[in-house]
Amino acid sequence: MIDTGITIKLYSFSELSEKAKRKAIEAHREFMLSIIELNDFKNGIAEYDYYARNDEPIIESIEANDYLFFENGELAHTVRYCGNHPLAGETHFIFNGANYIIKKD
């Protein structure tokens, strides 16, 4: 085995460059719109269009979920455990099948 000593940096949304933020917003918008049912909304298509055309609700969702990203704005695969889970208070980064604890409350 060779230990390369490579460091993988993860960034909060606010730490990203404008170009990376744009990538993160568009990817998350695509995800959100893919799971929305028009029946979920009181006003149906009007609210769907609001999410499709406005960054604010997309950014709010990103920030509320404390998503972490790579420098280019690509979403990092992380899991934040909460509630009664045995790992509650921990955030894990999953990379190439390996699980790394990156935060403990």
Side-chain angles (χ1 to χ4, degrees):
M1 176 182 89
I2 298 173
D3 182 354
T4 64
I6 294 172
T7 300
I8 299 173
K9 295 181 181 180
L10 302 178
Y11 300 84
S12 67
F13 181 76
S14 65
E15 296 173 311
L16 297 174
S17 69
E18 290 305 312
K19 183 178 179 181
K21 283 181 181 178
R22 187 86 253 138
K23 181 176 182 173
I25 290 167
E26 293 310 321
H28 193 60
R29 181 189 326 277
E30 185 178 318
F31 165 72
M32 287 184 69
L33 292 175
S34 75
I35 63 169
I36 288 175
E37 297 279 336
L38 292 180
N39 300 352
D40 292 343
F41 295 109
K42 185 176 176 181
N43 296 325
I45 195 73
E47 291 187 33
Y48 180 91
D49 284 347
Y50 176 72
Y51 282 87
R53 297 172 193 229
N54 293 289
D55 291 346
E56 185 178 313
I58 308 303
I59 293 169
E60 286 177 6
S61 176
I62 289 170
E63 291 176 340
N65 287 290
D66 289 326
Y67 291 134
L68 295 173
F69 301 88
F70 296 104
E71 186 176 16
N72 68 355
E74 184 177 326
L75 185 64
H77 182 178
T78 60
V79 178
R80 183 177 39 176
Y81 295 96
C82 57
N84 292 326
H85 193 282
L87 301 176
E90 294 183 5
T91 301
H92 292 221
F93 170 54
I94 295 93
F95 187 72
N96 286 339
N99 191 336
Y100 304 92
I101 299 171
I102 59 173
K103 183 179 175 188
K104 280 189 174 188
D105 291 342

